Each structure stands twice: as structure tokens, then as C-alpha cells.
Amino acid sequence: MAKDGNEQGSGKIGINTRLAHSGNNPHDYFGFVNPPVVHASTVLFRNAAAMADRNQKYTYGTRGTPTTDALAHAIDALEGSAGTIVVPSGLAAVTIPLLAFVSAGDHLLIVDTVYHPTRNFADTMLKRLGVEVEYYAPGVGAGMAALIRPNTKVVFTESPASNTFEVQDIPAIAKAAHAAGAIVMMDNTWATPLYFRPLDHGVDISIHAATKYPAGHSDVLLGTVSANESHWKQLYESFCTLGCCAGPDDVYQVLRGLRTMGVRLEHHQRSALAIASWLEGQKGVARVLHPALPSHPDHGLWKRDFCGSSGIFSIVLAGGGQKEQHAFLDALRIFGLGYSWGGYESLAVPVWLGDRVVAKAPYEGPLIRLQIGLEDVDDLKADILRGLAAVTA
Ligand SMILES: Cc1ncc(COP(=O)(O)O)c(C=O)c1O
């Protein structure tokens, strides 16, 4: 089998094979299995004519190297995209495409359940630059058509929702947006391209915090943004204009993580589902917000569009407030209290929903988000029981 994932091309190749072999061709670099980690600003040209024409594959470190290309090509093979940019964080993977496509006077629709720093960027910098920002409910579906205005440029989606895990009807939203000439972007970090391929469902720009599952070890920040054919040129040109390139060691670490992402995700998925369904029967838990559970209001939509679930979901405690929330968190010994997710270790965070303007569903009690790591399920259950016991103590 050819070792270059791009040559493999066909959709028939299994996902773990694709993860293992996509991105670089070992025979481009003397047969070494992994690509070189190229530390570069300057790239030399053979002569003045080549310099004048910029007529060679690499011209300057900010515009791409064999290391960034290896990761970008591997992501393209997973996403089915025309091109991918690699940026220094997941947040940069949100802000750069927005800056690339919205202008003063444009209207931007963002799902109300979005990752909070995305909202913060829109409410501060984009508003200052003259962009009209409006938030819509995650369940809008085909109702998106009624929200589109003549100046709507981008519809920003994130599914499942940050912290509360509502699933969006991406094909219906994309249909309405495209009918009005708007672009659809999606933060697809939760599912990764293994469990949802946004471009296959009508999304134009797919965004990932590669910090999470691709990196997988809580030690790297990175983002990727992948575009379909018609939006790739503008995305890449904006990326070059902004100079927001990622460091080579971080890019390499994420490519390394990608090789094992399939097997890690399967484990995250299995453990998270086992714990989520067990939690539904636990005293002190009012609800479990995990779209792969049949009890979830958007389970049907998840089942229709996704082919797997990852390791993060939330629980709603049966009553109480911050005191109970803190009691739960402070009793945990294996779950760490810290932001981010997608790493090998389990984490818990208190959920804050005070920023929402339309998706303010009433909950029975405080919410806690759990990232299920690679530890043994029985140990994690015992830890959660310590938390639940502390709430009632
Ligand atoms: C859905 C989502 N998108 C983007 C990001 C940002 O990623 P990063 O931490 O790499 O900036 C996060 C981080 O938690 C996230 O949860």
C-alpha cells in the first residue's frame, strides 16, 4: 500500500488506517516514518528569478513547511477538505476564519450555546469592527431561514453545544444559509472528523481545537481550520495575512497524537457512555446531558448525523446551587478540576450559563461537566460517588 494518505485517496480505507498513514510520504525523507520537524523562518531560493516569481513549494516559514503540510494533509484526508490551515490554538481556529470572512456591516449569526470565548470574540472585537452579531437557539433547524437577513454573511454553528450538548440540525441550517448566500462554519471539536464530517453535511468551514482529542495529552495548544474548495483560497490568504502560524514542535505533537486518536476515542466513547448511562440511575442526579443517550432530546438528530460520541458530557444535580456544585467538585480525587478536555485524564468543571441570551433552559440544579479520560471506569464511578455523597452530606 502506498504510504501517502493523499495518494490513498479513496473513501474505502478504514479510519484507523487513514489515521496511521495520512499526511506525509516517508519516502520523501529517506524512508523515515515520521516527517521532519522543520524549524524555519527563512527558505532559500536558488536564484533571483525564482525569488522574483516565488516559484517554489516553500517560500517562508509563516506560509507552511513540510511539518505543517503533513498535519494539514492528514486533516484534509479526514475532513474531505480542499485545504487546512494550522493555527496556534483552538480559539485562533475560531477567530481566524471569522476575520477572514466577515466585514463591517455584515450580520453574523452564532449559536447561543457556543464556546464562551467565541462569544467573547464576537461581542468585543467583531462588534468593534462593525459586525452585527446575533445569537440563535441551537434547536433552530430550518427556522434559520427566518433569521437570515440580506447582510447575513456567516452562520456559526457548534454541535453538540458547549456544556449542554444540544445537537444542531446542520443540514437544515446549511440549506437555509446557502439559499441566502451565507457561509456556514462549524466548531466540530467534540466529534472530531471521525464521528462527524461537517463538509459532508453542508458546512463550508470546519473548525477544530486540536488541543483536545488530536493532541490527546493536555500538553499542546493547536487549532485546525479546513475549507471546501470554494472557500479555501480566501481562508489561506487571510491566514497568511494575519501571520498566525503554529510552532513546529506543537504541530508535530498533534500529528503524533492523530496516529492514535482513533483508538483513544473509542475508549473515551465507551467509558463516557458507560458512566453517563450509569449516572442516569444515581440518586442526586436529575439529568445527564449526553446526546448518545436515548433520553437526550436530540438523540434522534445525533443518531441521524453522527457515527460516534466522544468523552465529554454534563450532569444536572437534583437541586441545590453553587454550594452543592462545589461540594461535588471538592470531593473528587481522580477527576482534576481544570479546563479543557480530550486528554488522557478525567476532568470536572462547574458549568456557568450566565452568558446565554436565548438558550436559557431551566435546569433542576447546578451543572457539572465531566471529561472522561482513559482511566478505569470503576475507579471513575467510585470518584463520582464520592462527589454525589458530598452533595447530600
Ligand atoms: C468547543 C471548543 N472550541 C474551541 C476551544 C478552544 O480551544 P483552545 O483551548 O485550544 O484554545 C475549546 C476549548 O475548550 C472548545 O471547548
Side-chain angles (χ1 to χ4, degrees):
M1 182 173 64
K3 285 282 189 174
D4 181 349
N6 302 309
E7 283 170 21
Q8 290 167 12
S10 104
K12 292 190 192 83
I13 292 170
I15 196 67
N16 284 309
T17 310
R18 197 174 291 246
L19 284 167
H21 294 285
S22 294
N24 62 301
N25 182 346
H27 296 292
D28 286 347
Y29 294 96
F30 311 101
F32 289 108
V33 170
N34 291 299
V37 183
V38 175
H39 290 88
S41 52
T42 304
V43 182
L44 297 180
F45 296 82
R46 290 213 168 271
N47 51 45
M51 202 168 195
D53 298 347
R54 295 184 144 254
N55 183 20
Q56 62 185 36
K57 186 167 165 62
Y58 298 107
T59 54
Y60 194 63
T62 52
R63 304 179 71 89
T65 68
T67 314
T68 59
D69 272 359
L71 179 60
H73 292 156
I75 300 287
D76 284 335
L78 299 174
E79 292 273 354
S81 44
T84 291
I85 57 169
V86 183
V87 298
S89 69
L91 183 55
V94 168
T95 60
I96 291 168
L98 283 170
L99 282 173
F101 287 94
V102 292
S103 308
D106 284 345
H107 176 233
L108 165 65
L109 280 161
I110 301 182
V111 66
D112 195 34
T113 46
V114 77
Y115 171 59
H116 178 74
T118 302
R119 178 192 300 270
N120 183 51
F121 172 69
D123 285 349
T124 55
M125 204 166 282
L126 291 185
K127 280 191 181 166
R128 177 164 63 69
L129 295 174
V131 177
E132 271 184 86
V133 180
E134 184 182 342
Y135 295 93
Y136 65 89
V140 71
M144 174 56 67
L147 301 180
I148 303 256
R149 301 182 197 163
N151 61 337
T152 304
K153 188 63 184 283
V154 170
V155 176
F156 194 96
T157 66
E158 181 185 328
S159 183
S162 264
N163 297 320
T164 47
F165 302 93
E166 292 91 339
V167 180
Q168 293 193 251
D169 189 341
I170 297 292
I173 290 171
K175 194 170 167 209
H178 289 158
I183 299 165
V184 182
M185 299 185 183
M186 178 174 179
D187 184 331
N188 186 40
T189 302
W190 183 86
T192 83
L194 270 57
Y195 294 157
F196 185 80
R197 296 213 330 164
L199 272 52
D200 292 349
H201 293 80
V203 171
D204 301 295
I205 306 266
S206 172
I207 290 163
H208 287 277
T211 304
K212 318 300 180 199
Y213 294 111
H217 294 74
S218 305
D219 54 358
V220 184
L221 287 160
L222 208 82
T224 64
V225 190
S226 305
N228 59 14
E229 193 67 54
S230 41
H231 296 91
W232 167 238
K233 188 162 176 272
Q234 188 165 339
L235 178 68
Y236 178 67
E237 279 173 2
S238 305
F239 165 73
C240 293
T241 301
L242 288 164
C244 258
C245 51
D249 294 311
D250 293 342
V251 174
Y252 179 80
Q253 285 288 80
V254 170
L255 184 65
R256 189 179 201 270
L258 212 57
R259 305 303 186 197
T260 59
M261 185 171 79
V263 288
R264 285 186 285 107
L265 259 180
E266 271 179 41
H267 192 100
H268 285 291
Q269 167 166 240
R270 206 170 36 247
S271 299
L273 267 174
I275 291 172
S277 50
W278 165 81
L279 270 165
E280 286 199 298
Q282 293 305 310
K283 200 161 154 273
V285 177
R287 261 195 281 171
V288 181
L289 308 179
H290 187 315
L293 291 180
S295 60
H296 190 281
D298 298 331
H299 181 65
L301 213 45
W302 172 81
K303 220 168 153 183
R304 185 192 73 185
D305 292 345
F306 288 70
C307 54
S309 59
S310 59
I312 181 171
F313 64 90
S314 289
I315 57 171
V316 183
L317 295 182
Q322 196 188 59
K323 184 169 151 273
E324 286 72 15
Q325 192 184 42
H326 285 191
F328 179 96
L329 294 168
D330 288 339
L332 299 171
R333 291 188 212 148
I334 297 175
F335 282 83
L337 308 189
Y339 293 105
S340 203
W341 43 283
Y344 57 86
E345 83 291 17
S346 290
L347 295 170
V349 292
V351 170
W352 174 74
L353 299 174
D355 57 347
R356 298 201 174 168
V357 294
V358 289
K360 297 194 243 188
Y363 291 103
E364 297 85 343
L367 273 69
I368 289 157
R369 193 186 74 188
L370 299 174
Q371 123 84 10
I372 305 301
L374 302 176
E375 303 94 333
D376 293 305
V377 165
D378 286 345
D379 297 333
L380 297 178
K381 283 181 179 172
D383 209 31
I384 291 170
L385 285 178
R386 272 191 282 275
L388 290 174
V391 171
T392 47

